[in-house]
């Protein structure tokens, strides 16, 4: 179920308070007992019972009797808290349409002072263990619900964009809250969907971007034709949550994979001959 702007607008301040209490208490509980929710929200038992039924109907929270009666926050509830914060801050005034959906994210258009992009990070149950193994920002032990793993994922992407955007062609970061990164709207299409007039020059610009990112301490980690956007002339590299630092134990292997993936795409589509090993050497310097 995707987030509904109408559902967000229809929420009462007590609905938001219950969502905030669940968010806080899920640091300690897989399923938050009702009595804890009543205590933390400082609402009456009857008010909390009314609100949880309403929120469950909207797909924002879930109830379970096992292993004990309790509630947990779902992605739509977590998304709602983030969107509400962004509206209060004046960062966005309207939520637009869903424009992209990946394994670990949803991408919406929105309106701020102009068009912006909201990227909702959603590290799901199936991908969580793989992400936990491959990304240093997730704890190895302890209670880490998938929604909070998504917060860490968003934070990593925001860190990368904040450090890169002045030098490397990436979306401009505007604000981050919980699992949402607000960034500049990029006009254009993914590299796989266009035919370049000058593929050699475009390829060289990608290598320059990889080199500059490496110099600034970032190896993308999942670079392909699907996360490079273009207006037909210049590349914009997107999707940075899985970045690693150059001193990461697997950084050279990851960098090599990024470069080979791009080389293979240009070989396949434009019959360009490149040398990935030489290119990796030039990136490292």
């Amino acid at each position: 179920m995707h987030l509904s702007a109408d559902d967000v607008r229809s929420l009462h301040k007590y609905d938001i308070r219950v969502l905030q209490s669940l968010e806080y208490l899920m640091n300690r509980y897989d399923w938050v007992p009702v009595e804890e929710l009543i205590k933390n929200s400082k609402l009456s038992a009857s008010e909390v019972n009314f609100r949880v039924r309403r929120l469950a109907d909207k797909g924002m929270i879930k109830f379970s009797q096992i292993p004990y009666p309790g509630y947990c926050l779902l992605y739509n509830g977590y998304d709602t808290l983030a969107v509400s914060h962004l509206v209060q801050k004046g960062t966005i005034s309207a939520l637009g349409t869903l424009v992209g959906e990946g394994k670990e994210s949803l991408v919406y258009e929105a309106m701020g002072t102009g068009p912006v992009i909201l990227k909702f990070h959603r590290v799901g149950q199936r991908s969580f263990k793989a992400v936990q193994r491959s990304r240093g920002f997730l704890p190895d032990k302890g209670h880490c619900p998938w929604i909070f793993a998504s917060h860490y994922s968003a934070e990593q992407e925001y860190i990368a964009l904040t450090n890169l955007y002045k030098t490397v062609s990436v979306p401009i970061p505007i604000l981050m809250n919980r699992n949402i990164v607000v960034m500049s709207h990029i006009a254009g299409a993914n590299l796989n969907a266009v035919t370049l007039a000058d593929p050699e020059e475009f390829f060289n610009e990608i290598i320059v971007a990889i080199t500059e990112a490496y110099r600034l301490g970032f190896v993308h980690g999942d670079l392909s034709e699907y996360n490079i956007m273009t207006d037909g002339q210049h590349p914009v590299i997107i999707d940075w949550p899985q970045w690693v630092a150059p001193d990461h134990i697997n950084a050279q292997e990851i960098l090599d994979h990024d470069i080979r993936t791009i080389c293979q795409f240009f070989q396949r589509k434009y019959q360009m001959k490149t040398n990935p090993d030489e290119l990796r050497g030039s990136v490292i310097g």
Side-chain angles (χ1 to χ4, degrees):
M1 182 187 295
H2 294 156
L3 186 66
S4 163
D6 289 338
D7 281 346
V8 176
R9 280 194 297 268
S10 71
L11 292 184
H12 187 273
K13 64 180 180 180
Y14 289 169
D15 295 319
I16 297 294
R17 190 187 298 183
V18 169
L19 290 175
Q20 290 171 334
S21 291
L22 273 174
E23 177 187 27
Y24 173 76
L25 291 165
M26 282 184 67
N27 283 297
R28 305 204 317 259
Y29 296 97
D30 286 319
W31 296 92
V32 178
V34 177
E35 57 271 19
E36 290 295 322
L37 195 53
I38 293 168
K39 186 188 307 181
N40 185 268
S41 67
K42 296 182 170 57
L43 297 172
S44 68
S46 60
E47 188 68 54
V48 168
N49 286 327
F50 172 74
R51 296 298 163 188
V52 294
R53 286 196 300 270
R54 174 176 157 83
L55 292 167
D57 287 343
K58 293 179 181 295
M60 295 183 181
I61 68 174
K62 182 179 180 180
F63 176 74
S64 177
Q65 288 279 6
I66 301 172
Y68 52 83
Y71 290 89
C72 75
L73 197 58
L74 298 179
Y75 271 121
N76 277 355
Y78 197 52
D79 294 345
T80 295
L81 288 173
V83 169
S84 297
H85 176 85
L86 295 172
V87 170
Q88 288 176 356
K89 293 280 289 185
T91 306
I92 63 169
S93 57
L95 181 65
T97 57
L98 180 71
V99 295
E101 185 169 357
K103 296 187 296 293
E104 295 178 9
S105 65
L106 299 174
V107 180
Y108 282 82
E109 291 180 324
M111 185 60 65
T113 54
V116 296
I117 288 295
L118 303 187
K119 183 173 179 182
F120 294 69
H121 287 249
R122 289 187 165 194
V123 179
Q125 180 177 4
R126 293 181 181 178
S127 60
F128 175 72
K129 288 299 182 185
V131 172
Q132 191 179 44
R133 286 193 299 270
S134 63
R135 301 186 192 172
F137 60 85
L138 291 180
D140 293 326
K141 297 179 181 179
H143 180 51
C144 184
W146 307 311
I147 55 172
F148 300 121
S150 297
H151 166 84
Y152 300 138
S153 178
E155 187 173 54
Q156 286 300 103
E157 179 149 42
Y158 190 72
I159 288 169
L161 297 180
T162 300
N163 283 276
L164 293 173
Y165 81 94
K166 292 181 180 179
T167 306
V168 181
S169 185
V170 299
I172 298 170
I174 298 171
L175 193 66
M176 175 215 155
N177 186 262
R178 294 175 172 88
N179 63 324
I180 297 180
V181 178
V182 187
M183 61 187 78
S184 60
H185 187 279
I186 305 298
N190 290 91
L191 180 56
N192 66 298
V194 301
T195 299
L196 299 170
D198 190 346
E200 186 171 349
E201 175 62 24
F202 195 94
F203 177 84
N204 289 337
E205 288 188 34
I206 294 173
I207 298 302
V208 169
I210 293 171
T211 304
E212 288 297 322
Y214 187 87
R215 182 181 64 82
L216 290 168
F218 296 85
V219 178
H220 186 281
D222 190 30
L223 198 58
S224 75
E225 63 271 25
Y226 299 103
N227 47 37
I228 299 174
M229 295 190 68
T230 179
D231 57 4
Q233 294 183 314
H234 303 289
V236 179
I237 301 179
I238 62 173
D239 293 342
W240 286 86
Q242 66 290 315
W243 69 270
V244 297
D247 61 358
H248 186 280
I249 188 172
N250 298 320
Q252 297 309 308
E253 178 185 346
I254 291 168
L255 176 64
D256 185 71
H257 184 270
D258 280 354
I259 292 171
R260 288 184 186 278
T261 300
I262 295 303
C263 288
Q264 288 166 4
F265 170 75
F266 277 85
Q267 166 70 34
R268 186 169 62 249
K269 186 161 185 175
Y270 298 104
Q271 292 73 56
M272 274 182 54
K273 295 191 181 301
T274 58
N275 187 321
D277 292 330
E278 286 185 4
L279 289 168
R280 184 165 66 85
S282 72
V283 169
I284 296 170

